[in-house]
Amino acid sequence: MKKTLITGVNGQDGSYLSEFLLAKGYEVYGIVRRSSTFNRWRIDHLHRHLFDRHKNFHLEYGDLTDSSSLMRIMKKVMPDEIYNLGAQSHVQVSFETPEYSADVDGLGALRLIEAMRILGLDKTAKFFQASTSEMFGKVVETPQNEDTPFYPRSPYGVAKLYAHWIVKNYREAYGLFGVNGILFNHESPRRGENFVTKKISQGLVRVKLGLQNTVKLGNLEAKRDWGYAKEYMEAVWLMMQQEQPDDYIIATGENHSVREFIEEVCRNLDISLIWQGSGREEKGIDAKTKKVIIELDDHYLRPAEVDTLKGDSSKAKKILNWQPKVTFKELVRIMVGYDLKSIQHSGDKEFLID
Ligand code: NAP
Ligand code: GDD
């Protein structure tokens, strides 16, 4: 049985990857941080204390800023595959916490691969780094592929670029099997609540159910290449099964604006939305109730914005035989469907795992 170690196991991607690997027969070890309130709803179904606990799923306390904890866990587990999904992953928050974001998102990866080297795991184990399309930032060409130059636009993007290059460096210097998956935005019902897709889906569902008046947003014109997180985790695993380590773009090749995302959510909720006003005074109105349901709030504008991202994943298609199946419209339908169900069931996420 193969052993795997996952950082960020209780995050969106960590939860899907854990399910995927358990189904493949792996023994999964995940690293979690102590927090004053429990934040494990995405993995509770794998790690219940009161009911059946999955016999091959284990959690260890650690932190990407704490080398000793990473070393201890790695020595205990001696994994075959390590997936570094842990990060302070919110771009806007990285402007508020730049040093911390650099520590976790940049140096965190270095701490893991150094621990591998010290324990001799660089000779036996494989390492995956969750790189990001944010590294392309102010894009120099469209669509972006593995050879497109980077131009990060946030402390998060800069920190992730360090991690990306240090993995490449260890590959060249020490022969580490280190893979960078350059993942474009991927979403799901399990997406964190302050990322724009989830904020819109959940917010407009609450508006529809009369639980909230409006959704306040920043820049509606930004365009993202949004895919479905669950199928991106299969691509991540496939990269780790290759003979040679390499870097791969994972994307849908299609992009849409935040405004289009709002409109598609409204279509799913049978809300006829009309836009009124211009500039930062623009508002989204529900034509039936005449109520303002979308407002602009400068609080959500970033000091530097990434205007557009669109990925070319033809290398992944050719080498990994991977391509996305879930379309933009299907993704919105999945997210809205889940939010309707979970909010109507008073947010009882544990029993509504998608
Ligand atoms: P997420 O839901 O925000 O999950 C992040 C995970 O990292 C959480 O489990 C979090 O634990 C953990 N974490 C944060 N700080 C940590 C620390 N100091 N030490 C250990 N763990 C820490 O993110 P995601 O969407 O699943 O993304 C997974 C990875 O892919 C991240 O590295 C992200 O930057 C990268 N990525 C994501 C996307 C995307 O569109 N989703 C695209 C490109 C790259 P807590 O719950 O305790 O905070
Ligand atoms: N979060 C948020 N909240 N974003 C908003 C809002 C708002 O109220 N209003 C507009 N936006 C815009 C942002 O300015 C950005 O242009 C876009 O919506 C997407 O924002 P996020 O959903 O926060 O995602 P992101 O693209 O900044 O970052 C995500 O994708 C990266 C990959 O490109 C994160 O998952 C990163 O961890 C990931 O690396």
Side-chain angles (χ1 to χ4, degrees):
M1 184 187 287
K2 271 194 186 171
K3 282 188 190 176
T4 182
L5 179 63
I6 303 177
T7 71
V9 72
N10 61 322
Q12 171 187 254
D13 291 2
S15 66
Y16 284 122
L17 183 65
S18 297
E19 284 168 8
F20 180 85
L21 294 176
L22 287 168
K24 288 239 169 264
Y26 280 72
E27 186 160 19
V28 175
Y29 288 80
I31 298 184
V32 286
R33 305 191 289 168
R34 193 264 160 182
S35 71
S36 65
T37 50
F38 256 48
N39 57 1
R40 300 190 194 157
W41 63 271
R42 296 182 181 98
I43 51 170
D44 272 345
H45 60 297
L46 303 174
H47 188 258
R48 277 198 194 121
H49 288 283
L50 298 175
F51 306 108
D52 287 345
R53 182 197 287 229
H54 198 295
K55 68 181 189 328
N56 294 332
F57 188 66
H58 317 273
L59 297 181
E60 298 282 340
Y61 278 111
D63 197 298
L64 283 163
T65 61
D66 178 1
S67 293
S68 60
S69 68
L70 301 176
M71 188 75 82
R72 176 186 58 75
I73 296 165
M74 226 182 257
K75 190 163 176 217
K76 175 176 170 185
V77 177
M78 295 300 273
D80 303 290
E81 295 175 10
I82 299 163
Y83 294 85
N84 185 27
L85 307 179
Q88 188 305 90
S89 71
H90 201 282
V91 172
Q92 185 160 15
V93 172
S94 79
F95 286 99
E96 311 296 327
T97 58
E99 187 179 330
Y100 176 72
S101 302
D103 196 1
V104 178
D105 301 359
L107 292 180
L110 174 69
R111 291 186 183 104
L112 287 169
I113 54 181
E114 259 304 283
M116 286 176 77
R117 222 164 62 81
I118 292 164
L119 294 170
L121 278 169
D122 57 326
K123 305 283 179 286
T124 58
K126 296 178 173 182
F127 182 82
F128 172 82
Q129 169 60 20
S131 277
T132 163
S133 48
E134 268 293 303
M135 299 186 309
F136 296 120
K138 192 173 177 185
V139 297
V140 300
E141 64 180 3
T142 295
Q144 296 83 51
N145 61 38
E146 290 79 2
D147 298 321
T148 301
F150 298 118
Y151 192 150
R153 291 272 279 175
S154 63
Y156 168 81
V158 175
K160 282 282 187 176
L161 192 53
Y162 174 83
H164 181 89
W165 277 108
I166 202 71
V167 169
K168 262 176 122 84
N169 178 249
Y170 272 49
R171 194 156 80 198
E172 291 168 12
Y174 305 117
L176 176 79
F177 191 106
V179 167
N180 287 305
I182 307 175
L183 312 177
F184 280 62
N185 296 51
H186 46 279
E187 319 294 313
S188 73
R190 301 184 197 176
R191 186 55 143 152
E193 294 176 13
N194 59 352
F195 294 94
V196 80
T197 55
K198 184 70 173 177
K199 188 173 165 182
I200 296 167
S201 166
Q202 202 176 51
L204 286 174
V205 165
R206 289 177 60 82
V207 167
K208 178 78 182 178
L209 297 176
L211 302 169
Q212 183 174 327
N213 294 328
T214 60
V215 182
K216 295 187 178 186
L217 294 162
N219 175 13
L220 303 189
E221 310 316 327
K223 288 185 152 188
R224 290 292 182 275
D225 179 333
W226 281 300
Y228 182 37
K230 201 172 186 169
E231 55 185 14
Y232 281 36
M233 290 306 103
E234 185 181 4
V236 160
W237 176 78
L238 284 168
M239 292 175 207
M240 293 282 270
Q241 311 314 310
Q242 303 306 303
E243 288 287 311
Q244 295 300 325
D246 207 342
D247 303 334
Y248 298 90
I249 297 273
I250 299 298
T252 70
E254 214 185 274
N255 69 6
H256 297 271
S257 65
V258 173
R259 186 187 293 278
E260 286 172 82
F261 196 93
I262 295 169
E263 290 166 353
E264 189 57 29
V265 170
C266 284
R267 266 191 285 279
N268 275 269
L269 290 171
D270 210 13
I271 297 174
S272 28
L273 181 76
I274 36 180
W275 296 105
Q276 270 181 13
S278 61
R280 297 300 294 163
E281 297 308 315
E282 190 176 12
K283 293 185 191 330
I285 318 266
D286 180 335
K288 199 146 77 189
T289 64
K290 310 276 183 272
K291 287 187 179 157
V292 175
I293 57 170
I294 302 286
E295 276 182 291
L296 301 185
D297 185 338
D298 290 353
H299 176 73
Y300 300 108
L301 294 178
R302 298 170 180 188
E305 176 64 293
V306 171
D307 296 321
T308 180
L309 291 171
K310 179 150 84 166
D312 169 3
S313 59
S314 42
K315 177 173 169 184
K317 184 174 179 197
K318 186 166 164 224
I319 298 176
L320 309 178
N321 194 23
W322 178 91
Q323 59 181 326
K325 295 180 196 78
V326 173
T327 62
F328 173 73
K329 279 180 185 290
E330 276 163 351
L331 176 65
V332 175
R333 193 183 48 74
I334 291 170
M335 293 182 73
V336 172
Y338 175 86
D339 285 334
L340 263 173
K341 216 164 38 149
S342 72
I343 293 168
Q344 278 166 338
H345 289 77
S346 43
D348 195 351
K349 290 164 176 156
E350 189 177 350
F351 295 100
L352 269 174
I353 204 75
D354 57 292

